[in-house]
């Protein structure tokens, strides 16, 4: 990290003239007090959605995939749409932790802990779908390659569906390790303030952390290497998910831009979900001084950039479809825009390409209400994008006599709502058990980015004006 | 030293390099070429595209850094400003190619030949985009737009040095132009790459192609940044460019080499996997007829930077960094070589009435300079490097090397990883 | 662990710059520091304490290489020798198709290996309790600690006065 020299043009990242002790108290507060009524209501709603989801999953397992509306030729519907949607959402956490660490962006410390937690919960939700959509979940262990007495029967290493199994298991494991490594010192902070049963609990979780200099050195080295590993990992995971489509020969699916385009889209939706959660969390837990408007603005800029990249990819696909002269490819896109699912296509375009353009305006980037509603739009748009790719293409492929239309069954809708329930239940529990902001990392940047040390360029220019104005 | 003075030595070396380039080009044109002058024109196009792309990536990365409030690079930002101001030169070179489409002194593009288009439904379908008029117009308009953005950012940067004060007004304006430059370059670079490079193989397409080519340009840009700075540092300039700055450039080289490889693999694997004849022909030709180029590309541009730059220590040593930068620079030059040469040779064969079965050697037309760069290709490269250096050094000499009033200067001077 | 029983003499500071300065002074005075504790990593501390560079990245590389070889050689054996089946017209040894899993296993092995080694060599793990000297070290206080187990009165006094002079606001001993 650079020394304490910070350019006067930068705005502070910690407000309120905090001391190290203030940071500790503010950020462990939520774990030390009983949940508020708002928390209980949110928890109740989430758990009911979760329950609905579990019931629908049990129905699926009991009755089979017949409880869904998948049929010829639409073999993938809400299941895979939701799978890709959740994996995409998970990408922001790793990006914030890993890539922003490598780029030395100090503002990541306000949001990385919650974003990493979000990644883990999102990946859990995503992993449910490959699990339950196979039909015979009791033999899902067939996926895993180990010497067996079934032949031996190995999985197909040539299939992107199996690459997915490895990618998502690895992603889940590495994200968990990365998240937990960061949490250990913060759990120690909670432990040292706790008494009785809570102390025992946090003692278990903090792995015996003492704050020794040698341990910090190893911890920083480990964080950097994990970040260096997690960066290509996060690119590879959504790339491999895109391979599920791109390795086929289906028009609209078989296109080489899918890997980086999917990654950009994942980051796009992930940041949107982080914003949705952060806007609420910072307000409810009263930590606006740690998740400042600077943080919000930076994340909105990332949304603008990744949304534009997604837009470039859309235009590229459209142009090359024309350029290729391949009638089926041209039809695929014609069908997306004007076929039976035209409403999904326009939803996608409006939410993903048009709406983020508002973030060109600084005032809007720094406005909480705009940010909150935009973040929801973006996630809706990205859901539509996956549905457009999957649903429209499968509904109208090569043979017109096979054309069909897909509408999800109540069981499928219930499962999706259930994953929302699982996600928010986990997140709500997380906010009670662990500090949602990386305490040690925020303390680390206090002297370079706290508002008593850094005044920001608006204040700097105001000071300059005062000085100039006072010239005789 | 705070200002660069171009010594007589510099000038002499650059001019000598350019002379070598001109001689190589002449020797190619008059000596070692077919009647369509394919070798000459592919060498010309290859190098023009390569260096224009480097200039464009410097503009793009500068714009990204400004928009991201990055401060570490400011101590050498003049280098990237100078790179981006090579754009007008690059565009003049591309306009020469564009005019060639009309007057027919080259036959690089199959779609530019009216007879070929008349007999080919695919080419007819693409003629709305692949035509001589649009090639020239887009080169002029889009190229002009890039130059406008580069000049604007440069002039704001210079003005900041003269009149910059605490309100950071110049930087605010730079952020606006930089932010605008990002989507503009993002969209238009793709269009120009399709036009200049991808259309050399007009029956083939790949949606990833533009990003792949841009990544190649980007790594080459980082390589030549490292080389120019270390050279000037050895001459006594850039005293405040420290080991940590070098380390960061090394990290960028490492990371974007891996990113380039990722794009290479995505494009290759998806076409291999789908096994669609219209797409696989592109790679089959390269694997069968240009194998050294094809596999060498991966070796030099992935294996070498990955293995050498994985460790922290290697990114902090001048010698190692110079070695890697030179090799990878040549590696990406070769990458663009193999994007252009096979398709152009195939077009030449088609136009000269030869059957196309991929075994170029059997046609009696020499393939020297196509299957692998030969001495004249290297001579041409030297010429273009000389030109690039001449332009860059001239521009560097026009302003102080250290931007005194840049708001991030102190951060950059105290840069410590 | 039960037979450790070290006597630790330590001082508590409120500012990391003061702490770093004190460590430098301790080095000058040739006082061997047992350990330094802080609520976050202090910039410059590694050099001040002459800590040898962490070699975790080497661990990461080795485990990663193990992952690469396991994946690639494993799939090669399975698909060329043990269970060769033609999938989609692709050759048995379909290298491009092996790349994604090879990459994933490299990252997986590397990460798990490094994390497990990190906790093991640091004496940490689920449920492990290491003695802490002061409850506010993980809050806002910094600590320099000397091992006073076998030191004479004079030596202990020297360290105590050093701690006081360098700005320690609390000086204490603990047996761990």
């Amino acid at each position: 990290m650079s020394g304490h020299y910070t350019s006067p043009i930068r705005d502070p990242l910690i407000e309120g003239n905090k001391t190290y002790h203030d940071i500790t108290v503010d950020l462990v507060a939520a774990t030390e007090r009983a949940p508020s009524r708002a928390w209980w209501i949110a928890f109740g709603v989430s758990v009911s959605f979760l329950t609905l989801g579990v019931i629908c999953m049990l129905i699926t397992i009991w009755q089979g995939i017949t409880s869904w509306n998948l049929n010829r030729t639409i073999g993938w519907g809400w299941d895979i749409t939701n799978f890709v949607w959740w994996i995409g959402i998970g990408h922001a956490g790793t990006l914030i932790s890993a890539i922003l660490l490598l780029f030395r962006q100090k503002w990541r410390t306000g949001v990385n802990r919650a974003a990493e937690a979000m990644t883990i919960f999102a990946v859990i939700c995503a992993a449910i779908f490959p699990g339950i959509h196979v039909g015979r979940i009791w033999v899902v262990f067939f996926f895993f390659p180990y010497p067996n007495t079934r032949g031996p029967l190995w999985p197909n290493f040539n299939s992107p569906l199996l690459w997915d199994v490895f990618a998502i298991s690895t992603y889940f494991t590495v994200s968990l390790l990365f998240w937990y490594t960061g949490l250990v010192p913060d759990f120690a902070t909670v432990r040292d303030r706790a008494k009785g049963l809570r102390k025992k609990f946090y003692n278990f979780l903090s792995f015996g952390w003492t704050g020794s200099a040698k341990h910090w050195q190893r911890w920083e080295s480990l964080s950097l290497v994990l970040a260096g590993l997690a960066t290509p990992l996060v690119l590879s995971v959504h790339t491999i998910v895109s391979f599920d489509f791109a390795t086929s020969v289906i028009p609209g699916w078989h296109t080489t831009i899918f890997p980086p385009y999917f990654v950009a889209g994942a980051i796009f939706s992930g940041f949107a979900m982080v914003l949705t959660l952060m806007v609420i969390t910072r307000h409810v837990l009263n930590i606006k001084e740690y998740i400042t408007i600077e943080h919000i603005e930076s994340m909105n800029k990332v949304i603008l950039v990744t949304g534009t990249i997604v837009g470039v990819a859309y235009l590229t696909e459209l142009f090359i479809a024309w350029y290729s002269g391949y009638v089926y490819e041209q039809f695929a896109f014609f069908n997306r825009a004007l076929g039976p699912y035209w409403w999904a296509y326009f939803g996608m375009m409006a939410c993903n390409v048009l709406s983020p353009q508002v973030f060109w305006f600084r005032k809007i980037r720094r406005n909480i209400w705009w940010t909150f509603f935009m973040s929801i739009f973006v996630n809706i748009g990205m859901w539509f994008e996956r549905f457009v790719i999957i649903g429209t293409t499968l509904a109208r492929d090569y043979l017109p006599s096979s054309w069909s239309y897909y509408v999800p069954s109540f069981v499928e809708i219930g499962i999706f709502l259930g994953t929302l329930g699982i996600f928010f239940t986990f997140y709500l529990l997380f906010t009670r058990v662990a500090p949602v902001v990386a305490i040690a990392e925020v303390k680390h940047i206090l002297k370079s980015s706290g508002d008593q040390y850094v005044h920001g360029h608006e204040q700097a220019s105001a000071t300059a004006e005062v000085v100039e104005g006072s010239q005789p | 030293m705070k200002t660069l003075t171009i010594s007589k030595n510099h000038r002499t070396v650059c001019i000598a390099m350019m002379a070598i380039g001109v001689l190589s080009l002449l020797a190619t044109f008059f000596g070692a070429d077919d009647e369509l002058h394919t070798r000459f024109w592919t060498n010309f196009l290859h190098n023009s595209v390569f260096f224009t792309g480097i200039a464009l990536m410097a503009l793009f990365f500068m714009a990204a850094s400004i928009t991201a409030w990055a401060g570490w690079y400011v101590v050498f930002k003049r280098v990237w400003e100078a790179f981006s101001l090579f754009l007008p030169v690059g565009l003049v070179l591309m306009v020469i190619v564009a005019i060639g489409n009309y007057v027919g002194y080259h036959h690089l593009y199959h779609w530019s030949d009216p007879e070929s288009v008349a007999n080919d439904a695919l080419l007819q379908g693409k003629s709305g985009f692949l035509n001589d008029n649009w090639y020239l117009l887009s080169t002029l308009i889009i190229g002009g737009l890039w130059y406008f953005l580069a000049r604007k950012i440069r002039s704001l940067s210079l003005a900041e040095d003269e009149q910059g004060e605490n309100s950071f007004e110049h930087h605010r304006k730079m952020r606006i132009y930089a932010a605008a430059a990002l989507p503009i370059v993002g969209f238009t670079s793709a269009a120009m790459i399709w036009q200049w490079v991808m259309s050399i193989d007009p029956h083939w397409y790949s949606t990833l192609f533009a990003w792949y080519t841009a990544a190649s340009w980007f790594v080459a840009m980082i390589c030549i940044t490292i080389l120019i700075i270390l050279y000037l540092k050895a001459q006594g300039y850039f005293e405040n460019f420290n080991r940590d700055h070098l380390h960061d450039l090394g990290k960028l080289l490492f990371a974007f080499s891996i990113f380039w490889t990722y794009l290479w693999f995505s494009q290759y694997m998806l076409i291999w996997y789908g096994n669609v004849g219209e797409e696989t022909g592109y790679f089959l030709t390269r694997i069968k007829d240009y194998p050294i180029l094809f596999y060498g590309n991966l070796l030099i541009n992935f294996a070498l930077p990955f293995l050498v730059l994985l460790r922290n220590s290697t990114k902090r040593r001048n010698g190692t960094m110079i070695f890697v930068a030179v090799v990878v620079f040549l590696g990406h030059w070769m990458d663009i070589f193999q994007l252009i040469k096979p398709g152009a040779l195939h077009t030449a064969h088609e136009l000269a009435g030869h059957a196309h079965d991929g075994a170029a050697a059997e046609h009696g037309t020499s393939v020297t300079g196509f299957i692998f760069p030969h001495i004249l290709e290297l001579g041409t490269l030297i010429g273009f490097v000389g030109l690039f250096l001449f332009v860059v050094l001239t521009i560097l000499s026009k302003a102080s090397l250290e931007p005194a009033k840049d708001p991030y200067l102190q951060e950059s001077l105290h840069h410590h990883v | 662990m039960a037979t450790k029983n070290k006597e630790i003499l330590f001082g508590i500071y409120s500012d990391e710059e003061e702490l770093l300065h004190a460590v430098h002074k301790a080095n000058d005075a040739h006082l061997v520091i047992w350990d330094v504790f802080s609520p976050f990593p202090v910039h410059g501390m590694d050099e001040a304490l002459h800590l040898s560079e962490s070699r975790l990245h080497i661990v990461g590389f080795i485990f990663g290489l193990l992952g690469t070889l396991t994946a690639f050689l494993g799939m090669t054996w399975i698909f060329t020798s043990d269970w060769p089946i033609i999938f989609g017209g692709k050759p048995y040894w379909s290298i491009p198709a092996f790349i994604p899993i090879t990459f994933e296993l490299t990252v997986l092995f590397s990460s798990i290996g490094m994390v497990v080694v990190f906790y093991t060599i640091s004496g940490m793990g689920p449920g492990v309790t290491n003695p802490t000297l002061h409850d506010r070290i993980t809050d806002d206080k910094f600590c320099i600690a000397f091992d006073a187990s076998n030191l004479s009165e004079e030596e202990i006094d020297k360290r105590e006065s050093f701690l006081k002079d360098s700005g320690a606001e609390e000086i204490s001993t603990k047996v761990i």
Side-chain angles (χ1 to χ4, degrees):
Chain A
M1 289 252 180
S2 55
H4 285 319
Y5 189 85
T6 309
S7 167
I9 202 175
R10 297 194 191 277
D11 284 320
L13 295 171
I14 304 168
E15 292 169 357
N17 217 353
K18 302 288 180 186
T19 63
Y20 294 134
H21 184 67
D22 290 336
I23 295 174
T24 304
V25 170
D26 291 344
L27 298 177
V28 302
T31 64
E32 290 179 344
R33 59 170 187 252
S36 63
R37 197 147 58 131
W39 189 91
W40 280 113
I41 294 174
F43 191 68
V45 172
S46 299
V47 171
S48 23
F49 274 52
L50 186 157
T51 314
L52 169 67
V54 170
I55 293 172
C56 291
M57 289 176 215
L58 289 172
I59 293 176
T60 304
I61 295 171
W62 184 259
Q63 288 185 4
I65 305 301
T66 185
S67 57
W68 294 358
N69 279 347
L70 300 183
N71 212 328
R72 299 183 298 271
T73 55
I74 305 176
W76 284 351
W78 272 45
D79 53 344
I80 302 302
T81 306
N82 295 335
F83 163 67
V84 181
W85 190 72
W86 277 116
I87 293 280
I89 285 175
H91 272 50
T94 326
L95 187 119
I96 293 175
S97 294
I99 298 179
L100 294 182
L101 176 65
L102 296 176
F103 281 128
R104 296 188 295 260
Q105 296 293 299
K106 296 202 177 113
W107 61 270
R108 60 177 272 283
T109 55
V111 297
N112 65 333
R113 188 57 37 76
E116 288 161 24
M118 185 199 84
T119 291
I120 292 163
F121 309 144
V123 174
I124 292 173
C125 291
I128 289 172
F129 290 99
I132 61 173
H133 91 316
V134 291
R136 291 191 300 157
I137 195 171
W138 50 93
V139 285
V140 85
F141 62 88
F142 281 179
F143 281 170
F144 295 95
Y146 66 95
N148 57 67
T149 54
R150 300 189 289 275
L153 192 70
W154 297 98
N156 178 9
F157 294 109
N158 280 354
S159 167
L161 304 182
L162 187 72
W163 303 346
D164 260 343
V165 170
F166 280 84
I168 294 178
S169 317
T170 306
Y171 188 43
F172 178 72
T173 309
V174 175
S175 296
L176 190 64
L177 290 174
F178 200 2
W179 174 73
Y180 205 82
T181 303
L183 260 179
V184 161
D186 290 353
F187 276 145
T189 303
V190 183
R191 167 198 73 196
D192 291 341
R193 288 169 57 92
K195 299 191 193 22
L197 199 59
R198 277 187 81 244
K199 194 177 182 82
K200 279 216 176 73
F201 179 63
Y202 284 103
N203 188 39
F204 183 86
L205 291 179
S206 54
F207 282 19
W209 179 264
T210 56
S212 148
K214 183 68 186 171
H215 295 174
W216 276 120
Q217 187 209 38
R218 288 196 190 120
W219 183 93
E220 283 200 295
S221 176
L222 180 66
S223 296
L224 264 177
V225 184
L226 279 178
L229 283 172
T231 302
L233 177 66
V234 77
L235 260 81
S236 75
V237 171
H238 225 64
T239 295
I240 291 175
V241 169
S242 81
F243 286 163
D244 287 343
F245 307 100
T247 52
S248 70
V249 291
I250 299 176
W253 280 19
H254 183 59
T255 175
T256 48
I257 204 172
F258 260 27
Y261 149 52
F262 263 54
V263 173
I267 298 168
F268 183 49
S269 64
F271 268 74
M273 184 61 92
V274 172
L275 275 170
T276 310
L277 293 176
M278 290 296 95
V279 164
I280 300 175
T281 306
R282 68 194 285 271
H283 179 78
V284 170
L285 295 186
N286 207 9
I287 46 177
K288 292 182 185 161
E289 290 159 324
Y290 299 96
I291 306 175
T292 66
I293 297 289
E294 299 312 312
H295 294 84
I296 304 281
E297 186 181 6
S298 297
M299 288 192 277
N300 283 334
K301 282 187 200 169
V302 174
I303 287 197
L304 181 58
V305 169
T306 48
T308 309
I309 295 176
V310 167
V312 171
Y314 288 163
L315 288 180
T316 301
E317 282 187 308
L318 285 170
F319 176 78
I320 299 285
W322 168 80
Y323 179 89
S324 69
Y326 182 37
V327 286
Y328 295 105
E329 185 89 12
Q330 292 167 350
F331 175 74
F333 288 95
F334 185 82
N335 173 54
R336 281 185 190 181
L338 300 170
Y341 287 110
W342 62 269
W343 45 271
Y345 187 80
F346 280 95
M348 167 186 110
M349 282 298 188
C351 292
N352 290 346
V353 182
L354 291 179
S355 63
Q357 303 305 316
V358 299
F359 284 142
W360 284 105
F361 301 102
R362 187 163 189 267
K363 275 217 170 70
I364 297 185
R365 287 200 295 271
R366 297 173 74 87
N367 180 295
I368 290 295
W369 287 106
W370 271 102
T371 301
F372 184 72
F373 286 111
M374 274 302 307
S375 66
I376 310 258
F377 279 156
V378 167
N379 265 322
I380 292 175
M382 285 311 291
W383 191 94
F384 274 129
E385 180 193 283
R386 277 55 170 266
F387 184 71
V388 162
I389 290 174
I390 294 173
T392 66
T393 311
L394 293 176
R396 292 263 188 287
D397 63 7
Y398 290 104
L399 203 58
S401 58
S402 304
W403 286 358
S404 52
Y405 191 75
Y406 161 82
V407 174
S409 72
F410 285 113
V411 174
E412 293 178 276
I413 298 175
I415 293 176
F416 176 63
L417 294 175
T419 55
L420 286 172
I422 292 171
F423 180 77
F424 287 108
T425 302
F426 274 134
Y427 185 76
L428 287 165
L429 288 173
F430 161 71
T431 61
R432 295 256 69 87
V433 172
V436 300
V437 176
I439 300 177
E441 297 186 52
V442 167
K443 287 177 186 166
H444 194 134
I445 65 162
L446 179 65
K447 288 209 172 155
S448 63
S449 309
D451 65 351
Q452 64 270 55
Y453 302 98
V454 170
H455 301 289
H457 58 294
E458 276 157 10
Q459 251 207 32
S461 59
T463 318
E465 277 159 26
V466 166
V467 169
E468 267 146 44
S470 64
Q471 294 294 322
Chain B
M1 288 169 255
K2 287 286 156 61
T3 324
L4 176 74
T5 348
I6 304 187
S7 71
K8 230 164 142 207
N9 239 351
H10 288 149
R11 202 163 286 139
T12 314
V13 169
C14 285
I15 292 180
M17 288 171 93
M18 288 193 268
I20 292 177
V22 169
L23 283 171
S24 304
L25 282 168
L26 288 172
T28 315
F29 193 90
F30 291 111
D33 214 348
D34 61 12
E35 61 222 13
L36 297 172
H37 298 295
T38 315
R39 188 174 173 193
F40 171 85
W41 281 109
T42 47
N43 287 349
F44 186 86
L45 177 69
H46 170 214
N47 288 288
S48 303
V49 159
F50 186 60
F51 284 95
T52 305
I54 288 177
L56 183 65
M57 287 297 110
L59 169 64
F60 186 75
F61 198 56
M62 239 190 351
S65 304
I66 293 171
T67 324
W69 294 67
W72 68 280
Y73 71 100
V74 151
V75 90
F76 65 85
K77 79 169 181 181
R78 294 281 187 240
V79 175
W80 284 341
E81 285 176 8
F83 282 15
S84 68
L85 289 172
F86 180 82
L87 275 170
V89 177
L91 294 167
V92 164
L93 296 169
M94 292 311 299
V95 165
I96 293 175
V97 176
I99 294 176
N101 280 332
Y102 287 103
V103 295
Y105 48 67
H106 72 71
H107 300 274
L108 287 167
Y109 297 103
H110 211 172
W111 49 262
S112 185
D113 177 56
E115 201 190 308
S116 301
V117 176
N119 292 326
D120 188 324
L122 257 185
L123 289 183
Q124 281 159 31
K126 299 183 204 224
S127 58
F129 176 65
L130 296 182
N131 60 68
D132 300 339
N133 292 335
W134 182 236
Y135 193 99
L136 178 64
L137 260 174
S138 61
T139 302
L140 285 171
I141 296 175
I142 292 177
L145 186 55
W146 295 345
Y147 179 44
F148 167 74
L149 289 166
R151 259 187 65 149
K152 202 62 198 183
I153 293 179
R154 164 75 164 185
S155 65
L156 281 169
S157 174
L158 293 180
E160 185 175 58
D161 254 26
E162 309 265 313
Q163 313 138 15
E165 49 354 79
N166 284 342
S167 66
F168 305 120
E169 183 56 23
H170 292 92
H171 197 267
R172 193 189 65 83
K173 289 207 188 100
M174 263 196 278
R175 284 200 304 273
I176 295 174
Y177 282 101
L182 290 176
I184 290 175
V185 172
F187 281 93
T188 56
S189 63
M192 297 323 292
I193 289 171
W194 295 332
Q195 188 117 74
W196 292 344
V197 190
M198 194 169 84
S199 72
I200 296 224
D201 292 272
H203 296 97
W204 182 79
Y205 58 90
S206 160
T207 39
L208 188 57
F209 190 81
W211 296 15
Y212 166 78
T213 308
S216 203
W217 282 344
F218 184 85
V219 178
M221 188 274 289
I222 297 288
C223 289
I224 200 163
T225 304
I226 292 170
L227 292 171
I228 287 185
I229 293 178
L230 286 181
Y231 168 69
L232 289 175
K233 196 171 162 68
Q235 305 287 302
Y237 303 101
F238 290 122
E239 318 86 56
N240 291 315
F241 177 87
N242 61 39
R243 210 148 293 285
D244 294 294
H245 293 111
L246 183 66
H247 192 165
D248 273 353
L249 283 173
K251 281 188 213 164
L252 285 171
L253 217 188
F254 176 75
F256 280 93
S257 290
I258 294 180
F259 181 68
W260 171 88
T261 310
Y262 156 76
L263 294 178
W264 184 94
F265 178 73
S266 297
Q267 197 174 238
Y268 177 75
M269 191 279 285
L270 288 175
I271 289 179
W272 171 85
Y273 203 105
N275 212 14
V276 174
E278 287 81 359
E279 297 175 351
T280 53
Y282 183 85
F283 286 114
L284 278 173
T285 312
R286 282 154 179 77
I287 293 174
K288 218 160 50 114
D289 297 332
Y290 306 84
I292 304 176
L293 265 186
F294 186 73
Y295 293 110
N297 196 15
L298 257 190
L299 214 69
I300 296 180
N301 292 325
F302 170 61
L304 181 92
F306 180 76
L307 293 173
V308 176
L309 295 181
L310 191 57
R311 307 186 56 182
N312 269 345
S313 53
T314 51
K315 297 192 275 279
R316 300 175 76 82
R317 286 206 284 265
N318 284 9
T320 318
M321 288 296 286
I322 291 174
F323 171 71
V324 176
V326 168
V327 175
V328 175
F329 179 78
L330 289 172
H332 282 285
W333 180 79
M334 269 190 19
D335 183 24
I336 310 292
F337 184 95
Q338 61 100 32
L339 292 181
I340 290 177
K341 289 279 182 170
L345 185 63
H346 177 86
T347 300
H349 285 153
E350 293 272 297
L351 292 176
H354 293 284
H356 51 104
D357 63 0
E362 287 167 27
H363 291 283
T365 314
S366 168
V367 289
T368 321
F370 287 93
I371 297 195
F372 198 75
H374 222 249
I375 196 91
L376 291 175
E377 277 68 36
L378 291 174
T380 313
L381 170 65
I382 291 173
F384 275 80
V385 170
L387 176 64
F388 186 78
L389 279 177
F390 185 76
V391 171
V392 165
L393 290 176
T394 307
I395 296 179
L396 275 177
S397 69
K398 296 245 166 80
S400 74
L401 287 182
E402 213 164 86
K405 297 230 185 98
D406 187 294
Y408 300 108
L409 182 64
Q410 289 305 315
E411 269 190 23
S412 190
L413 293 176
H414 291 102
H415 185 57
H416 177 55
V417 221
Chain C
M1 257 195 3
T3 51
K4 247 204 193 146
N5 280 339
K6 272 196 171 63
E7 190 180 320
I8 302 296
L9 168 69
F10 62 92
I12 299 289
Y13 299 77
S14 277
D15 179 76
E16 78 271 19
E17 281 163 52
E18 213 177 36
L19 176 81
L20 195 57
H21 195 62
V23 169
H24 284 302
K25 273 177 57 188
N27 288 338
D28 292 338
H30 301 295
L31 298 171
V32 177
I33 295 178
W34 177 69
D35 208 344
V36 170
F37 299 89
S38 55
F40 56 87
V42 176
H43 189 65
M45 187 57 71
D46 303 341
E47 293 85 7
L49 291 174
H50 303 122
L51 293 177
S52 54
E53 260 200 50
S54 168
R55 284 166 299 176
L56 270 175
H57 57 279
I58 299 178
V59 172
F61 183 79
I62 294 172
F63 273 98
L65 192 58
L66 192 66
T68 314
L69 293 172
T70 306
F72 194 78
L73 297 176
M75 284 189 283
T76 298
W77 174 74
I78 291 172
F79 264 22
T80 59
S81 175
D82 195 51
W83 198 58
I85 305 228
I86 301 175
F87 288 107
K90 299 291 184 289
Y92 292 135
W93 197 35
S94 49
I95 299 173
F98 290 171
I99 301 289
I101 292 183
T102 306
F103 173 78
E104 297 299 330
L105 238 43
T106 305
V107 173
L108 184 68
F109 277 35
S110 179
S111 307
I112 295 181
M114 269 195 306
V115 169
V116 169
V117 167
F118 166 69
Y119 286 123
T120 310
I121 60 178
S122 302
M124 290 195 272
V128 167
T129 310
N130 284 325
T132 47
L133 295 175
H134 194 283
D135 275 347
R136 285 187 71 163
I137 284 173
T138 52
D139 181 353
D140 63 342
K141 301 288 181 206
F142 306 79
C143 170
I144 294 181
F146 297 104
D147 184 352
S149 307
N150 298 314
L151 292 179
S152 60
E153 278 287 333
E154 196 195 322
E155 294 277 308
I156 292 180
D157 281 338
K158 201 164 140 198
R159 283 156 180 70
E160 275 183 5
S161 51
F162 159 77
L163 286 173
K164 200 158 38 175
D165 293 336
S166 59
E169 39 187 65
E170 207 185 303
I171 301 172
S172 186
T173 14
K174 196 166 178 178
V175 177
I176 57 166

